[in-house]
Amino acid sequence: MRLELGNIFIKDVQFGDNTKVENGTLYVNKEELIALVSDDQNLESVDVQLARPGESIRITPVKDVIEPRVKVEGSGGIFPGFLSKVDTVGSGKTNVLKGAAVVTTGKIVGFQEGIIDMTGPGADYTPFSKLNNIVIVCEPKEGVKQHEHEKSVRMVGLKAAKYFGEAGKDVTPDEVKVYETLPLLKSIEKYPDLPKVAYVQMLQSQGLLHDTYVYGVDAKQTLSTLISPTETMDGAILSGNCVSACDKNTTYHHLNNPIVHDLFEAHGKEINFVGMIITNENVYLADKERSSNWTAQLTEYIGVDGVVISQEGFGNPDTDLIMNCKKIEDKGIKTVIVTDEYAGQDGASQSLADADAKADAVVTGGNANEVVTLPPMDKVIGDDKYADTIAGGTAGSLREDGTIVLELQAITGATNELGFNKLSAKGY
């Protein structure tokens, strides 16, 4: 598959009479956007606000972050299985509003939702503080169940991202990047002397409000399978979960998976990036065994020399991570695992809930239990009262002056397994 990503650099976002991209600014017709996304019977109200880098703004509780994209050429459409037909995506041309994002917030769905500060020390921990954010505040009707609430907010975010993406369809990109994955045998023929490397991405799928979707299907209903890395760039994988904010893979992460981008950067130079395997994370032991067996079998079948594995979440998924690592190593294939750590506030506790001697090459996102102090902001979009109850917070986390003291895990994307750059693929 060959995909051209056309990046349109967005340097500012403003409200305007028409939604359009002009001279690096995304103009937003607020009334038109609200009308587009307000047709959900579960929502009492919808509002739209803007948050730019450096502004004294706190967004919380954050549900998802989505980057606007649009198909310009090629099969299918953006977000297949939700807003487009279930056609295979990942080829042709896609335009991206780089530097802009849709952020969804409002009354909390699940306790594992987070915070984005647009300035101050909290901004240093989240990549989303660097973006021009269109924040959609969704308030549910009384009595709406959690899973219905989550779905409604998820669809609002996807519709808005598609709406803004279409504003860039006829705009000439500032930058075009090309990503291509050849059929396996042709890839081996082209780079016979380079080590063959695959990426195994573990998708959160451990129950209600812990869902990830692949072409519209809940990942818990799937088995480990091959997917082209470029499919993820067109929205084949979407977030639908409320796991701890620091290591949650938002839809933005899936669209911009830095492990995929870094492996492509090394492709044809240091390694031969032959493809990607997705697998789920499970609750029951038998399901963990089944998925990790399939994952290891697939890596052996495609004949790779090395694998990078990333997980989403912590605790229970650590077992899936170590099972995948151990079984792939048992095939004679070298592995690198990517994870964050929960080592206690003093950093002295066991970092992962499971371990094995074969997991001897690890990239860490840091200790999510580290305590941070977030100074008050001039404006809060959403509601900061949940700081006392979200994962990472405790009674008294929110101080009277608006200061919040809590663990790093409460900040969206803070120690995320996909939230870093320049993963080294050397050593295979």
Side-chain angles (χ1 to χ4, degrees):
M1 281 189 172
R2 185 180 189 274
L3 179 66
E4 293 184 16
L5 280 188
N7 292 323
I8 301 166
F9 296 132
I10 303 299
K11 301 174 183 177
D12 189 18
V13 59
Q14 298 180 20
F15 288 122
D17 294 333
N18 299 294
T19 295
K20 61 182 179 179
V21 176
E22 189 174 89
N23 298 323
T25 297
L26 172 60
Y27 293 93
V28 178
N29 183 321
K30 182 176 180 178
E31 291 72 24
E32 186 174 83
L33 174 60
I34 291 176
L36 173 70
V37 301
S38 295
D39 60 349
D40 193 300
Q41 62 181 3
N42 291 325
L43 298 178
E44 183 68 40
S45 66
V46 175
D47 190 25
V48 178
Q49 301 188 45
L50 305 178
R52 305 172 186 85
E55 293 183 328
S56 184
I57 293 176
R58 173 166 293 146
I59 311 167
T60 186
V62 174
K63 292 155 188 12
D64 199 7
V65 183
I66 312 161
E67 184 174 61
R69 298 189 172 204
V70 62
K71 291 299 298 178
V72 177
E73 291 182 11
S75 64
I78 205 73
F79 307 137
F82 283 104
L83 301 184
S84 304
K85 291 182 179 180
V86 190
D87 294 325
T88 301
V89 293
S91 61
K93 296 180 180 180
T94 296
N95 278 1
V96 182
L97 300 193
K98 187 61 65 179
V102 172
V103 178
T104 48
T105 186
K107 183 179 179 181
I108 198 163
V109 176
F111 69 93
Q112 294 176 307
E113 297 178 32
I115 298 170
I116 296 173
D117 277 0
M118 298 303 294
T119 191
D124 295 335
Y125 289 107
T126 174
F128 305 123
S129 65
K130 315 302 187 296
L131 303 178
N132 294 285
N133 295 311
I134 305 100
V135 187
I136 306 182
V137 185
C138 303
E139 297 299 340
K141 291 181 178 177
E142 191 70 30
V144 172
K145 296 187 180 300
Q146 283 181 295
H147 67 283
E148 295 173 340
H149 183 187
E150 184 280 320
K151 180 181 179 181
S152 295
V153 177
R154 172 168 25 104
M155 293 306 298
V156 164
L158 296 178
K159 289 176 183 178
K162 182 174 184 284
Y163 168 76
F164 291 122
E166 289 173 347
K169 187 170 185 177
D170 297 323
V171 177
T172 301
D174 298 299
E175 171 189 74
V176 176
K177 291 193 172 184
V178 179
Y179 302 91
E180 185 173 19
T181 302
L182 296 174
L184 182 62
L185 294 180
K186 290 185 178 180
S187 180
I188 295 172
E189 290 175 359
K190 186 171 183 178
Y191 302 109
D193 299 324
L194 293 178
K196 299 177 292 295
V197 176
Y199 169 41
V200 173
Q201 183 178 6
M202 295 167 49
L203 305 177
Q204 178 57 248
S205 56
Q206 292 190 304
L208 195 62
L209 300 183
H210 286 65
D211 307 312
T212 303
Y213 296 93
V214 182
Y215 282 96
V217 176
D218 192 331
K220 68 173 60 67
Q221 301 176 33
T222 67
L223 288 169
S224 305
T225 189
L226 293 164
I227 189 171
S228 171
T230 57
E231 290 176 75
T232 68
M233 300 177 187
D234 275 342
I237 302 177
L238 303 178
S239 173
N241 70 62
C242 299
V243 301
S244 284
C246 68
D247 55 11
K248 166 183 170 137
N249 289 336
T250 65
T251 298
Y252 188 99
H253 285 100
H254 291 300
L255 291 166
N256 293 280
N257 189 318
I259 295 179
V260 167
H261 283 269
D262 290 348
L263 290 173
F264 267 124
E265 184 68 25
H267 178 60
K269 305 168 188 174
E270 303 171 55
I271 63 168
N272 183 358
F273 180 29
V274 299
M276 180 174 173
I277 298 167
I278 53 174
T279 186
N280 52 21
E281 298 174 355
N282 297 282
V283 176
Y284 297 108
L285 182 59
D287 295 328
K288 293 177 183 290
E289 294 283 9
R290 182 183 301 109
S291 289
S292 56
N293 285 342
W294 275 65
T295 301
Q297 180 177 304
L298 282 171
T299 60
E300 182 181 42
Y301 179 72
I302 62 177
V304 294
D305 303 301
V307 167
V308 177
I309 312 172
S310 68
Q311 72 163 329
E312 181 175 11
F314 68 99
N316 190 296
D318 294 348
T319 300
D320 302 75
L321 176 68
I322 297 302
M323 278 186 173
N324 283 318
C325 175
K326 182 178 183 299
K327 291 177 181 180
I328 293 172
E329 285 275 352
D330 286 343
K331 300 288 187 181
I333 300 168
K334 296 180 179 180
T335 66
V336 173
I337 64 174
V338 184
T339 180
D340 59 4
E341 305 174 55
Y342 284 76
Q345 294 184 0
D346 60 358
S349 300
Q350 180 174 321
S351 297
L352 300 178
D354 201 355
D356 190 273
K358 293 182 179 178
D360 58 358
V362 182
V363 176
T364 177
N367 180 22
N369 292 134
E370 179 183 343
V371 176
V372 294
T373 298
L374 308 180
M377 297 286 118
D378 292 339
K379 180 179 180 180
V380 175
I381 302 178
D383 195 335
D384 61 2
K385 70 181 180 184
Y386 300 107
D388 286 353
T389 55
I390 59 176
T394 187
S397 283
L398 177 62
R399 308 295 167 82
E400 289 187 5
D401 67 348
T403 297
I404 300 178
V405 181
L406 36 55
E407 292 185 354
L408 200 57
Q409 63 174 300
I411 299 179
T412 302
T415 62
N416 185 277
E417 289 89 344
L418 302 184
F420 59 91
N421 294 310
K422 298 303 175 189
L423 170 71
S424 174
K426 295 181 179 179
Y428 290 122

